[in-house]
Amino acid sequence: MKPKTVRQFSTYFCSIIVLGVLSGCALSIVPKTEKPEETPLALPARIEEPELVPVVFHVELRRSYSDETVIAIEVLDELSGLNRNINRYELTKIEENHYAGTLILPYGEIIKYRYVSTFPINQPEAAADGTTVLYRTMTVANNTTINDIIAGWPELPYKGELGKLTGIISDQSSKQPLADIFVTMAGYQTITDATGRFDFDQLPVGIQHLSAFSIDGAFLPFQQEANIIADLSTPAVIALTPLPEVNVTFIVSVPEEASGAPVRLAGNFYQLGNVYADLSHGVSSLASQMPILSRLDDGKYSLQVKMYAGSALVYRYTLGDGYLNTERDKDGKLVTRRIIVPNRDVTIEDEVKSWGVAGAEPITIKVTVPSETPSEDSVFIQFLQGTWQQPIPMWPLGNNQWMYLLFLSPEARQDTQYRICRNAQCDLAYDEASFTAPVPLSTIDVNTSVHTVESWHAWQPQISNNTETIFLGDDTNLIGVEFTTDYQPADLNRYRDSLKELQQLGINWVIFSPTWRVTISNNLPQLSPNNLGRSMLLMDLADLIQIAKDYGFTVGLYPRLDYSMDSAKWWQSTQRDALWWQQWYQECEQFIISYTQFAANYEVDQLILGGVDVSPSLPGGIETTINNKGTPKNADQLWSALLQKVNQYYSGLLLWALPVGESELPEYVFFDQIGGFYLQFQPPADAYGGYDHQTVDITLNNFVVDFQRNFTDKQYFTGLNAPALSLGDFSCPPADCLISPRASAYVDYPIDLDAQFNFYQVYGSALSQRSWVQGISSRGFFPVVKLQDFSSSVYGKPAMQLLSNSTPDAE
């Protein structure tokens, strides 16, 4: 009997951690004086402003510039951005390398803070691995003392002993593991995976502060001290208390000076635009993710938001983001509102006094865009104020016109420029003129700037009336897209919108490709879900999967590894011994089991594993050299054992991604554990653009047909990838050349849309006529904006029209 429940797996994983404690291999989290379940949860019955309570900070300094080193603590404003609106407090030196201070902070609030040296040199602290600390977190409570260790500074890196911490976080009520829980320690940040697990490596030894919380406020925050022991892994088994869900309705009156403008709500929780990623220069909030209030008949604005009782809400109203065009008091200072959410549905009535500095007239920016701009697009404005800020949505006026009302002080106006782009992609889908020469506000004589977009980069009107189609065989019932791995938080809304558009085009199969980050730590490989800003949160991925199911899509999940470079080069640069390989397979198992659990939870139709990301760890993947150990000889058995575990918990169709090159396809023992193959095709390296139906048939007959005959009991699906490039000296890497629109290395290459179209037409037709092919997908699909660029994405290109003409349901 095969167990299929997630609970069984999570219980097993927790047992591993408990066993580690009992065996004495590591020390557990320092216990609290009272068990959480014995303390009744006191939730307010009405709206309350948090009281101010003292919090004591004790800091141990491991590296010091001098005996006179002065240390300060910076309390950060995450709504404004971590590098703006900072409050700095000097700490008191109580003995050598020990500092302390007491801050008065709002009760219940999750505070972001960091330490800095102010003398003899002004520098932010560095973590034990030498990276600059972005921030730490703590939750304000009564009688709280925070113990931290400053590992070092940019010029004075940490030289002490190191330890690790491995934890798992679950729901105290349901006992189920919790994903997307944000955890910080020692200046590092991470999130939990689908099994509730998190890891910290390279921690300074000693007692340090651990903080964990839900980014949407759904659970009571957790904090405690952990004792880090040299060369050991401290286990942390944490249960978070769920908070009751309530509806909070905001009603706000705004000044007449911006009447009719879209008003947004910026806040410290995820549902209010805080994406908990370092987007740029410490900014973690996106205007495009902040909810828009609805205008009422009386001129006020209203919004209802799902919140959680007992959570500490920090918010402000804005016409821009959390800092620019944001509400101010009568003295022109930023307004920050704080409440403790009560244990019932409530209505909050607020009034915005002003959007700008007193006496400063707003600037009206009007933009006219080309009539051929895709109807699904939104126009964004991006401001340059020392550095480029995150793009902000403009307000549609109709008739291809957009507007933005900007409130700036006269001083800030002199140093501000702007440019225009589509769908927040100001490095990809930009107005050619303002990208080349940003518009300075200092040159505007009156308080109105009028700008006309003559052309969009990488976009033209109607590019093809091609009505060619792929003639589908009787057994090819799925035509789909595999979404790109290149993701940014600003892309999320377009992912949601694209699903409806794909359905209307007749596409019936979507494949999502979330990623984990690959790094080397202490000369050992690490695979981590901590890929914030580069991979989708699991809560958002789950939401997209449900939307796709509602639209009738077959849904595939193809988890990938993000090497932050070409994977082949990464493997070539690694130094591997037996311990290295042991670590790799352990990390890879956690990566795969995490997504196995997720796929089971959300009943994904297909789970796709394998591919170029892990091919060096497959049997015979890397040869042993004098100084470097190749793939272990028992690799087949290791993968067989792992896939057996996958099949214990996942009952959908398990596919193995297999790149098709110009050699025979490998056959592994562990193929008996899978249900089918996801064969990946791309142009031959030595014949890009020089193939036809005959040569493709030869390739299939030589390298695929015999393989398929050996595995007739399997299902077969295919993925196509062809960048819109054609150069005599250009060739794809042997395994995988998925090229993102954000791949700057290709910006100067001539674009060849016909080469991409020809590949899809030839390969698609050849594959669809093979009776064993059940689906064809387009790989590297970038749903954020239509582009006629060099990338693998077919969105906005003739090849997309070819696919939509070929689907069984197309009209």
Side-chain angles (χ1 to χ4, degrees):
M1 177 178 176
K2 292 184 177 182
K4 292 293 182 181
T5 65
V6 170
R7 178 173 295 181
Q8 285 170 306
F9 176 79
S10 61
T11 302
Y12 168 74
F13 185 73
C14 287
S15 299
I16 294 175
I17 294 179
V18 173
L19 182 61
V21 178
L22 297 178
S23 67
C25 67
L27 296 181
S28 182
I29 290 292
V30 178
K32 289 185 176 181
T33 56
E34 294 184 60
K35 295 181 180 180
E37 58 267 26
E38 295 176 356
T39 303
L41 191 60
L43 300 175
R46 57 184 179 83
I47 298 174
E48 296 179 357
E49 291 189 9
E51 62 176 319
L52 297 177
V53 299
V55 176
V56 179
F57 291 83
H58 282 284
V59 186
E60 179 186 348
L61 185 59
R62 294 288 170 86
R63 298 296 304 275
S64 180
Y65 287 112
S66 72
D67 292 339
E68 288 78 32
T69 297
V70 178
I71 303 299
I73 183 171
E74 292 184 336
V75 177
L76 309 173
D77 177 4
E78 61 181 327
L79 272 62
S80 298
L82 303 183
N83 296 329
R84 297 184 291 204
N85 202 31
I86 296 172
N87 290 309
R88 179 180 286 188
Y89 306 92
E90 186 175 312
L91 298 177
T92 300
K93 186 175 182 179
I94 56 176
E95 59 183 20
E96 184 179 4
N97 294 329
H98 285 79
Y99 297 76
T102 300
L103 303 186
I104 307 301
L105 299 169
Y107 179 85
E109 190 170 324
I110 298 169
I111 300 295
K112 288 186 176 180
Y113 68 99
R114 63 192 173 209
Y115 298 103
V116 295
S117 164
T118 61
F119 181 85
I121 186 171
N122 193 353
Q123 282 282 19
E125 62 171 317
D129 63 358
T131 59
T132 299
V133 171
L134 189 62
Y135 58 84
R136 302 167 182 258
T137 69
M138 58 81 57
T139 303
V140 181
N142 290 319
N143 304 315
T144 299
T145 298
I146 304 297
N147 290 293
D148 285 325
I149 294 173
I150 299 177
W153 310 97
E155 301 88 353
L156 295 174
Y158 180 72
K159 293 184 178 180
E161 294 179 305
L162 296 169
K164 298 178 62 176
L165 184 140
T166 298
I168 187 167
I169 299 180
S170 62
D171 184 323
Q172 189 180 64
S173 296
S174 68
K175 312 305 179 185
Q176 294 299 309
L178 292 175
D180 294 337
I181 298 299
F182 203 78
V183 191
T184 70
M185 188 177 191
Y188 299 110
Q189 305 89 35
T190 191
I191 57 171
T192 55
D193 66 11
T195 68
R197 177 171 172 164
F198 67 93
D199 298 279
F200 287 115
D201 197 11
Q202 293 189 300
L203 297 173
V205 298
I207 295 178
Q208 298 183 68
H209 184 74
L210 173 69
S211 175
F213 57 90
S214 171
I215 62 176
D216 61 357
F219 292 85
L220 196 66
F222 171 93
Q223 61 184 1
Q224 206 161 311
E225 292 182 341
N227 192 13
I228 304 303
I229 306 298
D231 301 322
L232 293 178
S233 181
T234 298
V237 183
I238 300 170
L240 297 186
T241 302
L243 296 175
E245 180 181 313
V246 297
N247 292 315
V248 179
T249 301
F250 298 86
I251 297 179
V252 60
S253 302
V254 301
E256 288 296 324
E257 57 189 351
S259 179
V263 178
R264 287 181 161 82
L265 188 63
N268 59 327
F269 292 129
Y270 188 69
Q271 58 269 43
L272 300 181
N274 187 358
V275 298
Y276 284 85
D278 183 16
L279 303 175
S280 60
H281 310 289
V283 174
S284 63
S285 293
L286 285 170
S288 59
Q289 301 292 86
M290 297 171 187
I292 300 177
L293 286 79
S294 300
R295 189 173 184 181
L296 304 176
D297 293 339
D298 60 1
K300 295 181 180 180
Y301 289 78
S302 176
L303 173 71
Q304 187 176 95
V305 183
K306 180 176 71 175
M307 303 295 294
Y308 297 89
S311 60
L313 171 63
V314 183
Y315 70 101
R316 57 177 64 132
Y317 299 97
T318 180
L319 302 180
D321 54 23
Y323 183 78
L324 189 67
N325 260 26
T326 297
E327 64 170 317
R328 296 178 179 269
D329 61 21
K330 59 182 180 59
D331 297 321
K333 296 180 180 179
L334 278 174
V335 172
T336 302
R337 303 177 185 272
R338 291 179 164 90
I339 66 162
I340 303 296
V341 178
N343 192 19
R344 61 183 180 87
D345 294 349
V346 293
T347 297
I348 299 173
E349 295 198 29
D350 292 318
E351 180 183 1
V352 173
K353 298 294 184 181
S354 175
W355 295 116
V357 178
E361 293 294 327
I363 303 169
T364 300
I365 302 173
K366 293 184 177 180
V367 173
T368 301
V369 302
S371 59
E372 60 268 15
T373 302
S375 60
E376 65 272 9
D377 279 2
S378 296
V379 176
F380 282 66
I381 188 168
Q382 187 179 31
F383 293 101
L384 177 62
Q385 295 179 318
T387 59
W388 284 108
Q389 307 302 311
Q390 288 298 307
I392 297 174
M394 299 190 74
W395 313 328
L397 301 178
N399 196 28
N400 302 315
Q401 291 185 325
W402 298 74
M403 187 187 84
Y404 191 74
L405 196 63
L406 177 63
F407 292 84
L408 278 182
S409 67
E411 296 77 18
R413 177 171 169 172
Q414 294 301 311
D415 299 323
T416 300
Q417 303 175 49
Y418 73 81
R419 63 186 182 189
I420 305 299
C421 60
R422 301 160 49 211
N423 297 352
Q425 303 304 304
C426 290
D427 292 323
L428 298 178
Y430 49 79
D431 162 39
E432 298 272 8
S434 63
F435 183 87
T436 304
V439 180
L441 296 181
S442 60
T443 61
I444 301 174
D445 295 329
V446 294
N447 286 327
T448 301
S449 175
V450 179
H451 182 81
T452 299
V453 176
E454 299 292 347
S455 63
W456 296 113
H457 178 70
W459 180 251
Q460 299 174 6
Q462 187 69 33
I463 58 174
S464 173
N465 289 316
N466 201 309
T467 58
E468 291 189 53
T469 185
I470 297 173
F471 297 101
L472 298 179
D474 293 337
D475 296 307
T476 306
N477 50 36
L478 294 180
I479 295 292
V481 297
E482 176 193 322
F483 287 106
T484 178
T485 59
D486 192 345
Y487 174 82
Q488 296 179 358
D491 301 343
L492 180 60
N493 289 337
R494 283 296 305 143
Y495 269 75
R496 293 191 180 104
D497 295 341
S498 71
L499 291 173
K500 181 177 182 180
E501 184 179 353
L502 288 170
Q503 184 211 37
Q504 293 172 343
L505 291 173
I507 302 297
N508 58 9
W509 179 29
V510 292
I511 302 171
F512 297 106
S513 300
T515 62
W516 274 24
R517 184 167 59 102
V518 183
T519 56
I520 294 290
S521 176
N522 294 327
N523 299 317
L524 294 175
Q526 281 194 323
L527 311 185
S528 169
N530 184 22
N531 212 17
L532 290 168
R534 293 174 62 94
S535 186
M536 194 175 295
L537 290 170
L538 290 181
M539 67 172 75
D540 292 327
L541 182 58
D543 180 53
L544 285 175
I545 289 172
Q546 187 57 55
I547 294 172
K549 285 187 171 186
D550 291 342
Y551 280 132
F553 288 101
T554 295
V555 179
L557 182 67
Y558 183 16
R560 302 290 307 275
L561 294 176
D562 180 4
Y563 291 88
S564 300
M565 61 187 301
D566 179 70
S567 61
K569 293 181 179 178
W570 186 90
W571 281 93
Q572 290 170 2
S573 65
T574 57
Q575 292 295 312
R576 303 170 300 275
D577 56 17
L579 180 61
W580 192 99
W581 279 109
Q582 180 182 354
Q583 174 90 354
W584 167 263
Y585 287 110
Q586 289 175 351
E587 295 285 304
C588 195
E589 177 170 338
Q590 179 59 31
F591 163 67
I592 289 174
I593 292 300
S594 175
Y595 281 111
T596 297
Q597 177 162 331
F598 180 85
N601 280 348
Y602 295 97
E603 300 180 342
V604 172
D605 299 301
Q606 304 162 334
L607 176 61
I608 306 173
L609 303 177
V612 65
D613 297 345
V614 300
S615 59
S617 67
L618 302 180
I622 299 178
E623 295 293 331
T624 297
T625 64
I626 295 177
N627 300 316
N628 220 348
K629 181 174 176 58
T631 309
K633 293 182 179 180
N634 64 338
D636 223 331
Q637 290 80 6
L638 291 171
W639 278 102
S640 291
L642 175 54
L643 293 179
Q644 287 175 10
K645 293 180 182 179
V646 171
N647 281 314
Q648 285 183 316
Y649 303 105
Y650 176 69
S651 59
L653 179 60
L654 179 60
L655 300 177
W656 188 263
L658 199 59
V660 179
E662 298 177 359
S663 60
E664 292 185 359
L665 297 177
E667 299 183 12
Y668 303 121
V669 172
F670 62 78
F671 281 171
D672 63 356
Q673 300 291 329
I674 64 173
F677 296 96
Y678 182 47
L679 301 179
Q680 299 167 335
F681 293 86
Q682 63 187 28
D686 60 352
Y688 194 87
Y691 45 81
D692 54 21
H693 291 275
Q694 182 178 2
T695 58
V696 171
D697 281 336
I698 292 173
T699 298
L700 292 175
N701 291 334
N702 288 344
F703 306 125
V704 180
V705 171
D706 287 344
F707 178 86
Q708 187 272 332
R709 288 172 179 166
N710 292 337
F711 298 96
T712 56
D713 60 329
K714 309 296 183 185
Q715 299 184 46
Y716 289 84
F717 302 84
T718 59
L720 304 182
N721 165 44
L725 291 166
S726 181
L727 284 178
D729 59 353
F730 174 80
S731 63
C732 291
D736 198 348
C737 69
L738 284 173
I739 297 177
S740 164
R742 298 182 174 122
S744 58
Y746 296 93
V747 293
D748 295 326
Y749 279 60
I751 297 167
D752 193 338
L753 300 177
D754 291 336
Q756 185 185 62
F757 181 90
N758 183 50
F759 171 85
Y760 275 88
Q761 205 280 328
V762 173
Y763 270 82
S765 294
L767 289 169
S768 66
Q769 297 307 306
R770 304 280 174 166
S771 60
W772 41 269
V773 174
Q774 296 175 266
I776 300 173
S777 81
S778 173
R779 305 189 63 214
F781 189 78
F782 185 74
V784 183
V785 63
K786 290 180 178 176
L787 295 169
Q788 293 145 24
D789 67 347
F790 53 80
S791 72
S792 297
S793 176
V794 299
Y795 190 43
K797 299 174 185 173
M800 184 75 212
Q801 188 174 356
L802 176 67
L803 286 175
S804 61
N805 286 345
S806 307
T807 57
D809 297 330
E811 296 180 357

